[in-house]
Amino acid sequence: MSAINLRPTHSDVAVIDVGSNSVRLVLYRMDGRAIWSVYNEKVLAGLGRDLSRTGALSPAGVDAALTVLARFRALIDAAKPRHVFAAATAAVRDASDGEAFRHRVRGELGIDLRILSGEEEALASAMGVLAGAPQARGLVGDLGGASLELIRLGPEGPEPGVTLPLGPFSVDASLRLDPLAVRRYVDQQAWPIASRFRTETLHAVGGAWRNLALLQMRLADYPLEVVHQYEISRRDALDATRFVSQQSRGSLERIPGISKRRLEDLPHAATVLQSLIEHLDIQIISFSAFGLREGLVWQAMSEEVRAQDPLIAGCANLGGRGALAEELGAALEAWLAPAFARLEPVFGDREPRLLAAACRLAELGAQLHPDHRADLVFEQTLRAPIAGMDHAERAFLAQAAFSRHTAQSQAPEPVILGRLLTPERQIRARALGAAIRLGCDLSGRSAELIDKCRLQIKANSLVVETQPDWSAVLLGDQTTKRAQTLASLLGKDLKLRAADRPTLVNAG
């Protein structure tokens, strides 16, 4: 597979994923390391529905898959993406007529369908998790319609993985209505690999597990319905899996937000998760919205693009104005980083990345009405499909983006902020937003003018100092107002001065 050398603007990539249950097309726009899903369509064809009974693909599933693949071919021809990846997984791989199906797809539709081996599927899923969370460590589990892929993420990257027949279609139909029989079957498959894959953290991938995460959010009254990097404890996960196993389909259907088409697979997904938690001694479950499809794209990226930070790249792209936004964001980062490094960190070694990301959002909302700008950028940042951040970091950046546009202390959705951020982190986010606002207003959003001034945070004071001969340009009433807001949030006295002049302002 050749590497994608992405242009500075953007590249479009199409991925066709022929799974055991669903057939899906995703069109991605890629801006450097930022991966944006701009179109997503799926059909639950059920290709693997008969696999445990006949060993072959479902005839109805084949018809449904060919029909939707013809549509996907037309959409791709119209979109003209630079790269197209088409892959099939467990059902096509294991079915006696899988190769015949692949030949039909190629002959009738001109789509070259690559059948992934179990190891390739596991690796692609692991790469997808890393594309969405580069710091991820532990075990990746990707539950599909016919199989479960397990692969460990070690310090040097993904290690060799395995594929197990643990999807709902791999269980004999006669057992599916007997929860105890299903659990015995799952345990028989999980126990032999337990010692090899024992881990603290499981990164859960797959539609059924994502729906289980949404259900657990409802049970916990969790206020932010963003599945990506949503983490729950062993206890909460076991509570959710037991809840599902005790409910009728009718009861589950009444839970808002749960996919009705996924309901029949939810009890099985819960059983598999419960077994893995107990056999592998899992303590934390982190759900990933990135998986095999993003992994296929990630594997084809150039090393240069892979090395970029997805959080910073995503925020830079979300911030708008292309190279101009990046120039301003980089200048703000260089201006603020030395000063904020003197503060006690509230996010540990993640602090510099969060500051860099927040600076890239400085231009977000520039084209929105000023009366509503702060609220709108808060909502957009909180729920943006940006990789590389957990939920607390989402809330932090949303608060910072809000405070970049207003001095108001009350941001939208205080319940979310209160649930996800400590008071110290809320204050730091407000201070960071106020500092970005100060830098933008001080310089008129000019990267060149920011460089004519220095910001210092000292033991008892906040110092804004201009280079010689620049005080008249940079220090005005609005600058003083913005600087005073920042100083108050930091609990410091304010000093504004030019390098070659006495103190101009000393506001206690």
Side-chain angles (χ1 to χ4, degrees):
M1 187 181 292
S2 61
I4 301 174
N5 295 308
L6 297 177
R7 296 173 297 177
T9 53
H10 72 268
S11 173
D12 293 326
V13 177
V15 177
I16 295 174
D17 177 6
V18 180
S20 304
N21 193 17
S22 64
V23 178
R24 186 187 296 263
L25 167 68
V26 183
L27 298 178
Y28 295 99
R29 190 191 73 198
M30 302 179 64
D31 292 276
R33 179 61 175 77
I35 303 175
W36 306 96
S37 170
V38 296
Y39 184 77
N40 190 324
E41 181 177 340
K42 73 173 180 181
V43 170
L44 295 178
L47 270 173
R49 187 172 299 278
D50 299 338
L51 203 57
S52 65
R53 181 173 56 85
T54 67
L57 298 175
S58 161
V62 169
D63 290 342
L66 290 173
T67 298
V68 73
L69 286 172
R71 168 172 163 76
F72 289 171
R73 176 58 196 262
L75 293 176
I76 289 172
D77 288 346
K80 297 179 176 59
R82 294 181 66 199
H83 305 275
V84 178
F85 303 106
T89 54
V92 178
R93 176 173 69 238
D94 297 338
S96 59
D97 55 348
E99 276 293 331
F101 173 78
R102 184 176 75 85
H103 286 301
R104 283 193 66 183
V105 170
R106 184 171 187 176
E108 296 177 20
L109 303 174
I111 297 173
D112 191 6
L113 193 61
R114 175 186 169 196
I115 301 177
L116 300 178
S117 70
E119 292 76 11
E120 289 173 331
E121 186 176 351
L123 180 61
S125 296
M127 290 297 196
V129 169
L130 288 174
Q135 71 278 14
R137 296 293 181 270
L139 185 67
V140 174
D142 186 352
L143 182 64
S147 66
L148 169 70
E149 279 64 49
L150 293 175
I151 183 168
R152 187 182 297 279
L153 295 175
E156 303 302 319
E159 300 174 0
V162 298
T163 184
L164 302 173
L166 283 177
F169 294 159
S170 66
V171 180
D172 189 273
S174 63
L175 298 180
R176 291 178 194 169
L177 298 178
D178 185 347
L180 293 178
V182 172
R183 176 59 193 262
R184 284 193 297 269
Y185 172 79
V186 172
D187 287 344
Q188 288 169 2
Q189 297 293 327
W191 176 248
I193 53 88
S195 60
R196 177 181 170 188
F197 289 103
R198 191 165 283 116
T199 186
E200 180 180 5
T201 302
L202 172 71
H203 300 276
V205 179
W209 276 347
R210 285 194 292 272
N211 272 276
L212 191 62
L214 290 170
L215 184 146
Q216 198 281 333
M217 287 177 177
R218 303 289 198 289
L219 295 177
D221 197 26
Y222 189 76
L224 179 60
E225 290 192 1
V226 174
V227 170
H228 189 57
Q229 290 196 248
Y230 175 59
E231 289 190 358
I232 59 176
S233 68
R234 172 191 180 98
R235 178 179 177 179
D236 287 342
L238 289 174
D239 285 346
T241 58
R242 289 166 185 153
F243 174 84
V244 170
S245 66
Q246 295 168 3
Q247 303 303 306
S248 67
R249 181 184 176 92
S251 297
L252 292 174
E253 285 179 341
R254 289 193 287 272
I255 300 175
I258 305 301
S259 170
K260 301 299 186 290
R261 299 292 300 273
R262 290 283 187 183
L263 279 178
E264 63 182 272
D265 299 333
L266 203 56
H268 180 88
T271 299
V272 174
L273 183 58
Q274 184 177 355
S275 180
L276 291 179
I277 290 171
E278 294 173 354
H279 286 306
L280 307 186
D281 198 25
I282 294 166
Q283 303 299 316
I284 298 171
I285 297 87
S286 178
F287 296 91
S288 176
F290 282 46
L292 181 142
R293 292 177 292 276
E294 291 76 18
L296 292 174
V297 174
W298 165 262
Q299 286 176 297
M301 285 181 180
S302 67
E303 290 295 332
E304 179 184 2
V305 173
R306 282 195 205 181
Q308 298 174 13
D309 186 286
L311 174 58
I312 296 173
C315 288
N317 185 258
L318 186 68
R321 290 213 313 165
L324 292 176
E326 172 56 26
E327 182 183 11
L328 176 61
L332 286 167
E333 179 190 359
W335 189 64
L336 292 177
F340 272 72
R342 295 180 56 85
L343 299 174
E344 188 71 24
V346 294
F347 274 95
D349 59 5
R350 293 284 295 169
E351 201 111 343
R353 291 180 185 271
L354 292 174
L355 183 144
C359 288
R360 267 66 178 187
L361 294 172
E363 285 289 87
L364 180 62
Q367 295 175 314
L368 301 176
H369 193 287
D371 291 350
H372 308 290
R373 188 176 292 154
D375 287 356
L376 292 172
V377 299
F378 176 91
E379 296 291 346
Q380 191 168 4
T381 303
L382 186 65
R383 294 180 171 86
I386 294 176
M389 59 177 168
D390 63 24
H391 283 203
E393 292 169 346
R394 281 182 176 277
F396 181 85
L397 289 176
Q399 173 69 79
F402 176 81
S403 297
R404 179 263 180 269
H405 294 289
T406 180
Q408 294 178 26
S409 60
Q410 186 66 61
E413 305 199 52
V415 172
I416 291 179
L417 296 177
R419 181 82 172 260
L420 298 179
L421 295 178
T422 63
E424 293 78 13
R425 286 178 169 181
Q426 290 189 50
I427 290 294
R428 182 62 56 82
R430 291 179 60 198
L432 178 56
I436 294 170
R437 192 183 193 198
L438 169 63
C440 289
D441 286 4
L442 181 75
S443 63
R445 310 203 318 278
S446 164
E448 181 181 354
L449 286 184
I450 289 175
D451 196 44
K452 305 297 183 183
C453 185
R454 184 168 63 152
L455 181 72
Q456 299 179 77
I457 297 176
K458 298 188 175 182
N460 299 309
S461 62
L462 174 73
V463 180
V464 182
E465 184 178 50
T466 71
Q467 291 182 7
D469 302 325
W470 285 93
S471 60
V473 175
L474 298 176
L475 300 181
D477 290 342
Q478 182 147 303
T479 297
T480 303
K481 183 179 178 181
R482 302 290 185 247
Q484 184 61 69
T485 298
L486 176 58
S488 298
L489 288 167
L490 295 173
K492 309 288 186 183
D493 294 331
L494 174 63
K495 298 182 182 296
L496 301 176
R497 64 190 181 203
D500 57 347
R501 299 185 186 183
T503 298
L504 299 176
V505 176
N506 187 351

